[in-house]
Amino acid sequence: MRGFAGIDIGSRSIELVVVDDAGQVQQRLQADTGFDPMAEAKRMLAQVEYQQIMATGYGRNLFEISFDATTVTEIKAHARGARACFPTAETVLDIGGQDSKAIALFATGKVKKFEMNDRCAAGTGKFLEIMAKALGFSLAEFSEQALAATSDINISSMCTVFAESEVTSLIGRGQDRQAIARGLHQSVVRRVKTMLNRVSTDGDIVFTGGVANNACMVQFLEETLQRQVLVPPQPQFIGAYGAALLAAGLD
């Protein structure tokens, strides 16, 4: 059996997927990016067998130099991975640790148009992590508490620093933490809605990236956009999966 690997070197974590020549997943590995992503990547690669590898993510260019590998943009990798999971998908939303992307696809699966936010942590996993910590919740609790809220408090700032300050002030005034959590999730959804509507306004949305594991985000997106949100199994691996499929020539 021939193995083809895809590695997604993100700002927060590294995902590695190996597929066979039919595109079936054989192995998945994940690790924190840490301060030396190439050393971490080397450690992960020592655990798998492959004949060809393709890299994506923010660290793909450094990986290309270090390991003499081919690369693919995150946009194309996520589009390919999402399409493999949902063959009729024409819109992809990827929210990772420090950026977010909205991608529209042609009926063939090729990228038609995309929007990307990589200059501000607002609307990303990092934003949600910081807000959860400010409220004293784990990430899982943050989602659960937001869903359990019976009311919400509007968060006026989307700048991470100002939003954290606003949350601290609300807590100091005795406001309900569940309501604040709900308001924070809704603020992210409003930002994502604007980005999504610039590329696609109808049809189902495939939600990829680590934030797709947040059930509150999925529910609020569906309610706000009035569109079905499809979450693939282990959505944080979709970029690496797409890269592996492309490495195998399954484009």
Side-chain angles (χ1 to χ4, degrees):
M1 181 193 72
R2 299 184 301 168
F4 300 90
I7 189 165
D8 183 357
I9 303 172
S11 59
R12 310 285 293 169
S13 63
I14 301 174
E15 286 77 33
L16 176 64
V17 172
V18 179
V19 302
D20 61 22
D21 50 12
Q24 297 299 308
V25 175
Q26 303 302 306
Q27 289 178 279
R28 289 188 183 93
L29 295 174
Q30 185 178 42
D32 291 338
T33 302
F35 64 88
D36 189 349
M38 293 306 104
E40 191 60 49
K42 184 177 181 180
R43 185 192 67 80
M44 295 171 74
L45 292 175
Q47 301 176 59
V48 301
E49 293 185 6
Y50 60 92
Q51 71 174 45
Q52 189 168 336
I53 189 167
M54 183 172 286
T56 191
Y58 96 103
R60 67 182 182 276
N61 294 324
L62 184 57
F63 186 91
E64 178 181 21
I65 295 168
S66 301
F67 296 92
D68 191 26
T70 56
T71 65
V72 63
T73 66
E74 297 163 77
I75 303 298
K76 188 172 180 180
H78 278 269
R80 182 65 187 90
R83 189 73 173 211
C85 295
F86 301 99
T88 61
E90 294 188 13
T91 306
V92 180
L93 172 65
D94 168 50
I95 305 182
Q98 293 192 4
D99 66 26
S100 54
K101 315 168 195 69
I103 310 163
L105 307 178
F106 288 107
T108 60
K110 302 297 183 184
V111 175
K112 181 194 300 183
K113 185 179 181 181
F114 71 89
E115 290 277 340
M116 183 172 181
N117 166 37
D118 61 354
R119 298 180 181 178
C120 174
T124 69
K126 182 65 174 178
F127 177 85
L128 292 171
E129 283 181 21
I130 291 172
M131 295 307 115
K133 185 176 181 180
L135 286 168
F137 294 138
S138 68
L139 274 175
E141 290 170 339
F142 188 39
S143 173
E144 292 165 1
Q145 294 298 316
L147 284 172
T150 55
S151 62
D152 65 271
I153 295 174
N154 182 59
I155 305 300
S156 60
S157 176
M158 275 305 293
C159 168
T160 303
V161 175
F162 293 150
E164 184 178 19
S165 178
E166 187 174 350
V167 166
T168 301
S169 178
L170 288 167
I171 293 171
R173 297 205 301 269
Q175 296 287 353
D176 180 58
R177 289 194 303 157
Q178 285 187 339
I180 298 171
R182 185 179 181 90
L184 285 162
H185 279 80
Q186 289 181 331
S187 70
V188 173
V189 169
R190 285 193 298 270
R191 187 180 183 92
V192 169
K193 177 184 177 181
T194 300
M195 185 172 63
L196 271 170
N197 284 343
R198 287 198 291 262
V199 302
S200 170
T201 57
D202 55 28
D204 297 343
I205 299 166
V206 180
F207 192 4
T208 69
V211 176
N213 289 309
N214 183 315
C216 184
M217 283 294 296
V218 174
Q219 180 176 316
F220 286 3
L221 280 167
E222 289 191 326
E223 292 174 354
T224 301
L225 298 168
Q226 293 296 293
R227 299 166 68 177
Q228 185 174 8
V229 176
L230 307 170
V231 181
Q234 298 182 287
Q236 65 271 31
F237 283 93
I238 295 301
Y241 177 42
L245 293 173
L246 293 168
L250 300 172
D251 55 0

